[in-house]
Each structure stands twice: as structure tokens, then as C-alpha cells.
Amino acid sequence: MNQPKKKVGVFSITCDEGCSIYLIEIFNKKLVGWLEKMEIKYFLSMKDKVEIKDFDIVLIEGVISSERDLREVIKIRENTKILIAMGTCAMTAFPSGQRNNFNAEQLERIQPKLKEFSYLPKCLALKDAVTVDDNIPGCPIDEKKFIEVFEKHLNA
Amino acid sequence: MHTCDLNVSINKLSKIEGHADLDVVIKDGKVVDVDLRVMENLRFFEEAVKGQSALAVPTLVSRICGTCSIAHLTACTEAVEKTLGIKITEQTSVLRKLTMHSLMIRDHALHLYFFVAPDLFGVDSALDIPEEHKELIHQALHVKEAGNNLSTLVAGRSVHATYEMVGGFSHVPEKEKIAPTIEELRSIRPMVLDLCEIFYKCDWELKRKTNFVALVTDDFSYLEGKIKSTTGAVIEEKNYWDHLHKVIIPYSQASGFEFEGEEFMVGSLARLNLNKDAMHADTKRDAAKYLAVFPSDNIYHNNLAQAVEILHSIDHSIELLQKYDFKKEEIVKPTVMDGEGVGVIEAPRGTLYYWLGVNGGKVRYANLIIPTAQNLVNMREDVRQAVTNLCALDDDRTVLENKIRKEMEKMIRAYDPCMSCASHFLKINWK
Ligand code: SF4
């Protein structure tokens, strides 16, 4: 029996998008096989946006830096069965959340920007805001680990 | 000719690097406002580098951008070396050229096959390309993989490379992997020639007289040379700051730039317009028909220029891999711990400038100018021109609006903009 294809979303919040770029490199070898089991519903690097709704698996890279990021992550969580933190940023808030380590003087200098664009006082890792089902470490993601974790959920 | 009023907003342009929004306001059939806003959240690199060891800063700034991390790593490494009196060896220079070529191959391939090709077939994503053209996607995966493998061989990894460092490379390519790498590069050559043909035949056109600027290098290796412009300027790398001027873009998280008071464009099209004669002999032989297109004022020829650059990067890499006998070398140590230095390279999307000030081995300030930021003003003017052209057609309002939406995304994509990069203009601190 053929299982219905899993609906997959890849989202980027505050970061350098290194993990999703590396994911597209992992696709070089894996995409053709995976497409038999999945449908990519959301991936701004590859297609136009669609509504955030009804995902089976979502991968998020980056840190939650602004109120807008936070709203987006909460909405994604409400609309996916599995949420995977992709890369060290999403797991630990670093390196993209480097401002969390700034000293008082540095913080004062960036304060106006934080206000102007409604940034949160500190950058958050995904797990600080929502429930995370799985993690793929690395900066960028470790290829073997990605394949292992992603295929586990794809085949579930 | 239209006399309508229309506001077109595009939230989150897709198939570009990073996040950007676009608003176009038309009053009485005339474009009165074009707002192209970079919507990336800031990560405050200008602060993060302060007080850090100069030797560690290239790795830190490589996190500005995932897709062209190698470009940031290389430009910043060069700036640190020039600041600390480090003279790199010939082998390091060759490895660095190979590293840059590997970046060009995979980054341009990503842009052309995944971001632009869907527009050629009128589909949303590379995954939806019609069955009879599916071969193109298989080719895309091969070409990208060859670039990726070359990066892994010379630099350790294609994103956030680990071997390249201040003063040299920590590893040299393994001998037994060189022949298969050359083989793989040879195998993608015909695919890249097919890609050139596709963009040669593509009839998209938007012409507007503008100025082109690039770092012109003797062997088209993206690394050492003079900054030149189509208006005839020839500038030493270290004097760039006298010619580039910042332009504030309201509500955007990035600024734009002018070159000697005028808008300009950087990137593949600029490089080919200014320096196509320096390309590899094999590329000039096999891509003669495509090279004859340049110089060109058609912004869409940036796509063709990228395809030709992939070919050149393949050919130059094959030559370098064949010629050199790589041996383990010591990393060259700094001779001074204070000073300032400039590193300028051609990143995939254009000229990338780094200027560092270092005290006692620690970074005191950093100023960098990103290709996409340099292109923002030109991009905005191209949007204005393209919308004006569309308004001159006799479409009804809804058709016009849809055309504007589609055409603007397509045109902005031709620049291959990188918004993650553009939001990280580092502010200069003179003290
Ligand atoms: S973990 Fe590293 S590669 Fe991934 S998004 Fe963060 S900075 Fe980029």
C-alpha cells in the first residue's frame, strides 16, 4: 500500500540560511528518492509561499529574534505534526543569537535597532518557545545526522 | 497607456536568498514610488566582531551568509592578512582560487537551475518543471554536486568551510581524489554548455543604461586586481572607500550605494562586461557565441553571464588541479599585530569589500560592503523602468497588476540578490 506523501515545510527565521543551503546540497544525492515519499509544501528558497497549514514535518533553521519570528514559530507549531530544529542556531540560539553575549556597552549601542524593529530582549532557541520533536545539530547541519533523523520521520 | 492608480505589494519575495518585500505605487499611470525593503533581522555583526581576535574573525563573519559563506571567509581572511603583514604562498593562492571557483559553480547553479529555471517554464518550483524537461533537474543536481565536491576537496565543506584560514590552508587536497574530481568536472561541462544555450536563447529583456563595476583580475579568478568601471575608473583595492557612497533606504534593514555619485551594478554581468577577455582559453573557445553577447545592458543577461562563469570556473579549476603538486605547508604567521587592511574579492553576486582595523591582534572596527547592497539602488531603478514599460501596455487593471507581480519577482531574481548579506552592512567607526 502506498502511504500518502508527507507534507514537508522548510522555514528560515533569523540566521544566515546556511542549513537550508546545505540541505539543498544534501538534495543532490537524496532528493529524487525522497520525493517519492514527500511533497515540499513550503520552502521559500525553492518555491512561492503558501499558507502555513497542515504540515506533517517542518524543519526550522535560525533563532527567534523578533516578535515576528516568535509569532511565525508559534503558528508553525500549531500546524505541524513534527517540528525539527535544524542546526545549532535553532537548537541553542547560537551563533545567530550572538547578541545574547554582548556586554552592556554593546547592548546599549544596538538598543535603538532592537526597538525600531520590535526585537525580543534576547534571542531564543526554538525549544525556549515551543515543543520541539527532534534536533539536527551542526553549523551547518551534519549530513549523516540529517539523513538519519529526516528519514526516520519520513518513513514513520 | 494607463491612467490608473495602483498599489502593488509583494511580501516575502521567493526564490532569492533571504527576505525582502517590494511595494510599487502607481498614480495616474506613472510610477511614483518603488520601495524595495530588506526584511532580514539584524544579527549585529558590526558589534560582534569588536574585541575578537583578528585570526578568528573570518570564521565569525562567514556566518553572515550561508550561501556565499566562502566569499565572506575569503574576503575577511585577505583583509586580516593585509593588516597583519602576512604574505601567502603561491600554493595558498592556488587553493584559494579553487575554493572560489567551487563556490561559483554551486552558487550560480543553485540560482540558475532552482531560482530562475521555474520562470522559464512558467512553473512555481524546480520540482514542477514539466516531465519532458526533467533532465534539467538531474543536470542541476550533478552540476551542484560537482561544485560541492570541489569545495569539500579543497576547503573541507561547501558551507562554512573549515580548511581555509589566515595564512594558509590547514589541509591540502588528497592526491587520490584529484583525478576523480577532474573527471567529475569534465562530466558536467556539456550540461553547463546546455545551460548557456538556454539563457542565450531566452528572450527576456530589460535594458537601461547603467554603470558596471567589478574587481578585474588577470586570470578571472575573483581575487586580486583593480576595481574598474564601465565609465573608465581604475581604482586600487585599498582606495575603494573614496568612490562608494552610502544611500539610506527608508524602512529597510539595509542601505544602498552609489559609485562616484551614480547607481551601478555589480555581479556576473559586470564582470563579463568588463573582463571577458581574461576567461580561460577553453571557455573562450567553447562559449565564443555566448561571450559575443557581452558587453550588454540587458539585466537578464546576468543569467547568461553566470552560466558562462560556471564554465570558466570548471575550466580554470581543471587546469589548476592538473598543474599543481600540492604539499603540506606551514601556516604563515603575522608579522605585526596592529594596523588596518582592505580585502576585496568578487563574490558570486559582485564585489565584496572588507576593511578592518586591528589593535594588539584584536579587531577594533570592521567595515564591509556587500554586493546586494551595492545593487539595491540600481534594482530599484530597474523596477521603476520595468513597471513604466508595463503601464504603457494596454492591459486592464487586474492583468496589469498580475504582470507587475510576476515580472518584478523575475527581474529582481535576475540580480540573484542576497538579503541575508544585504542586512549586514557594517557601520564604520572611525575611532
Ligand atoms: S546553524 Fe550555522 S549554518 Fe545553520 S543557520 Fe545557524 S549559522 Fe547558519
Side-chain angles (χ1 to χ4, degrees):
Chain A
M1 244 302 276
N2 271 353
Q3 276 200 347
K5 288 191 180 183
K6 295 257 159 71
K7 297 195 188 89
V8 174
V10 182
F11 290 84
S12 266
I13 44 172
T14 303
C15 67
D16 70 356
E17 305 193 8
C19 285
S20 62
I21 291 297
Y22 200 66
L23 170 57
I24 301 183
E25 295 304 327
I26 299 177
F27 279 172
N28 294 341
K29 288 189 227 93
K30 287 287 185 177
L31 182 66
V32 177
W34 284 347
L35 280 178
E36 290 174 9
K37 294 180 185 161
M38 71 168 183
E39 198 187 335
I40 299 179
K41 293 298 272 183
Y42 194 107
F43 195 170
L44 270 192
S45 296
M46 285 182 70
K47 56 192 287 153
D48 219 338
K49 59 213 157 280
V50 293
E51 212 187 327
I52 301 179
K53 221 174 103 184
D54 291 339
F55 293 103
D56 293 299
I57 306 171
V58 163
L59 299 150
I60 303 183
E61 66 177 339
V63 305
I64 302 171
S65 181
S66 62
E67 284 169 16
R68 189 184 53 172
D69 287 345
L70 184 60
R71 279 195 301 272
E72 184 165 354
V73 168
I74 291 172
K75 175 149 192 212
I76 295 167
R77 176 68 273 185
E78 286 166 357
N79 286 283
T80 181
K81 296 195 183 101
I82 299 291
L83 191 156
I84 303 173
M86 176 164 74
T88 321
C89 285
M91 285 174 66
T92 69
F94 289 96
S96 290
Q98 56 197 5
R99 69 174 161 96
N100 289 3
N101 285 342
F102 283 1
N103 61 32
E105 213 181 292
Q106 289 175 306
L107 283 176
E108 202 181 303
R109 277 195 296 261
I110 67 169
Q111 206 54 41
K113 288 279 176 205
L114 294 186
K115 271 219 185 94
E116 186 182 346
F117 296 108
S118 309
Y119 288 180
L120 301 172
K122 283 217 168 233
C123 293
L124 307 176
L126 297 185
K127 65 172 172 3
D128 299 331
V130 293
T131 311
V132 174
D133 301 302
D134 225 324
N135 294 290
I136 300 164
C139 174
I141 38 171
D142 177 79
E143 180 165 345
K144 280 205 192 79
K145 187 78 187 164
F146 183 91
I147 295 171
E148 179 198 313
V149 170
F150 187 65
E151 290 191 338
K152 179 175 88 191
H153 294 289
L154 200 58
N155 296 328
Chain B
M1 173 77 192
H2 263 276
T3 49
C4 65
D5 294 350
L6 194 61
N7 286 5
V8 184
S9 295
I10 308 178
N11 278 325
K12 287 201 182 178
L13 297 158
S14 66
K15 286 164 279 177
I16 59 168
E17 302 295 343
H19 302 160
D21 294 351
L22 175 71
D23 285 339
V24 180
V25 182
I26 300 166
K27 278 220 169 69
D28 230 10
K30 283 211 173 58
V31 185
V32 291
D33 211 1
V34 176
D35 230 349
L36 179 65
R37 292 182 310 274
V38 177
M39 299 310 286
E40 283 288 316
N41 282 339
L42 302 172
R43 283 169 284 141
F44 305 103
F45 281 91
E46 71 278 20
E47 283 299 335
V49 296
K50 280 185 199 154
Q52 301 287 339
S53 154
L55 302 179
V57 160
T59 322
L60 196 159
V61 293
S62 78
R63 265 70 184 177
I64 287 177
C65 174
T67 189
C68 56
S69 67
I70 281 177
H72 285 276
L73 179 69
T74 306
C76 186
T77 299
E78 233 189 76
V80 174
E81 287 168 349
K82 288 189 178 159
T83 308
L84 303 185
I86 295 171
K87 294 238 168 343
I88 57 165
T89 64
E90 187 185 333
Q91 175 171 298
T92 296
S93 152
V94 170
L95 287 172
R96 222 165 258 174
K97 287 176 186 178
L98 285 165
T99 306
M100 286 302 296
H101 286 313
S102 74
L103 167 65
M104 293 292 173
I105 297 170
R106 47 163 284 280
D107 199 359
H108 285 349
L110 175 68
H111 176 243
L112 296 175
Y113 288 110
F114 279 69
F115 299 176
V116 185
D119 288 333
L120 290 170
F121 300 103
V123 294
D124 172 26
S125 132
L127 305 174
D128 308 323
I129 285 177
E131 214 39 61
E132 65 269 30
H133 299 288
K134 272 270 151 59
E135 186 48 30
L136 197 62
I137 289 311
H138 295 130
Q139 296 190 350
L141 300 176
H142 282 302
V143 174
K144 277 185 345 84
E145 182 67 358
N148 192 38
N149 288 342
L150 180 60
S151 285
T152 311
L153 177 71
V154 292
R157 198 156 68 180
S158 58
V159 176
H160 304 322
T162 46
Y163 299 169
E164 185 180 0
M165 46 204 290
V166 173
F169 278 70
S170 61
H171 291 65
V172 289
E174 291 119 308
K175 283 217 161 48
E176 66 281 8
K177 292 201 178 144
I178 290 185
T181 305
I182 293 176
E183 211 32 61
E184 189 177 31
L185 288 170
R186 283 218 175 94
S187 74
I188 59 165
R189 255 188 127 251
M191 304 175 194
V192 175
L193 281 164
D194 285 353
L195 191 66
C196 292
E197 185 68 20
I198 291 175
F199 287 106
Y200 177 73
K201 284 205 185 123
C202 175
D203 62 357
W204 301 341
E205 188 178 279
L206 181 72
K207 285 189 175 172
R208 201 174 55 83
K209 201 87 204 114
T210 191
N211 188 15
F212 294 92
V213 178
L215 178 73
V216 168
T217 53
D218 292 345
D219 56 356
F220 214 102
S221 65
Y222 315 107
L223 287 174
E224 291 292 334
K226 290 213 164 53
I227 301 156
K228 294 193 180 172
S229 79
T230 41
T231 50
V234 180
I235 296 160
E236 296 293 329
E237 292 188 6
K238 61 180 191 324
N239 297 333
Y240 78 91
W241 189 250
D242 300 337
H243 303 266
L244 283 176
H245 309 286
K246 189 166 152 184
V247 179
I248 303 295
I249 299 181
Y251 314 113
S252 165
Q253 311 222 22
S255 320
F257 282 87
E258 288 179 341
F259 184 83
E260 302 189 329
E262 287 178 41
E263 74 223 36
F264 65 108
M265 183 185 174
V266 295
S268 298
L269 180 55
R271 289 191 288 262
L272 282 229
N273 280 348
L274 285 155
N275 197 28
K276 65 174 180 174
D277 291 339
M279 290 196 133
H280 196 272
D282 294 350
T283 308
K284 287 205 273 191
R285 182 194 60 222
D286 293 341
K289 174 168 103 179
Y290 313 124
L291 281 168
V293 167
F294 305 96
S296 165
D297 281 337
N298 179 2
I299 165 69
Y300 287 108
H301 279 150
N302 196 44
N303 294 327
L304 177 62
Q306 286 194 338
V308 178
E309 281 191 339
I310 299 180
L311 190 69
H312 162 76
S313 278
I314 293 170
D315 290 339
H316 199 198
S317 298
I318 294 175
E319 183 192 317
L320 294 174
L321 287 170
Q322 277 172 335
K323 211 152 94 188
Y324 281 90
D325 183 20
F326 299 102
K327 294 197 174 69
K328 185 103 188 80
E329 281 182 345
E330 291 292 310
I331 300 289
V332 183
K333 297 265 170 332
T335 54
V336 289
M337 281 313 210
D338 302 288
E340 52 179 6
V342 169
V344 183
I345 66 159
E346 280 295 319
R349 295 163 187 77
T351 324
L352 174 62
Y353 300 87
Y354 266 82
W355 178 354
L356 292 181
V358 176
N359 254 13
K362 302 234 185 293
V363 170
R364 199 155 51 94
Y365 61 80
N367 167 34
L368 71 101
I369 303 182
I370 305 275
T372 297
Q374 296 169 67
N375 279 339
L376 282 176
V377 179
N378 207 64
M379 228 184 280
R380 195 178 62 189
E381 292 316 304
D382 273 354
V383 171
R384 195 187 299 275
Q385 170 83 55
V387 175
T388 306
N389 295 352
L390 288 174
C391 285
L393 302 173
D394 233 351
D395 296 316
D396 79 39
R397 205 187 150 88
T398 336
V399 175
L400 176 66
E401 180 171 344
N402 285 338
K403 273 196 186 160
I404 292 177
R405 281 182 189 282
K406 242 188 94 223
E407 292 299 306
M408 287 320 97
E409 284 215 56
K410 188 170 107 187
M411 198 212 77
I412 289 170
R413 231 173 258 142
Y415 276 89
D416 191 10
C418 179
M419 302 303 170
S420 329
C421 278
S423 60
H424 296 288
F425 165 66
L426 303 191
K427 178 172 92 243
I428 193 154
N429 186 347
W430 295 99
K431 293 212 191 78

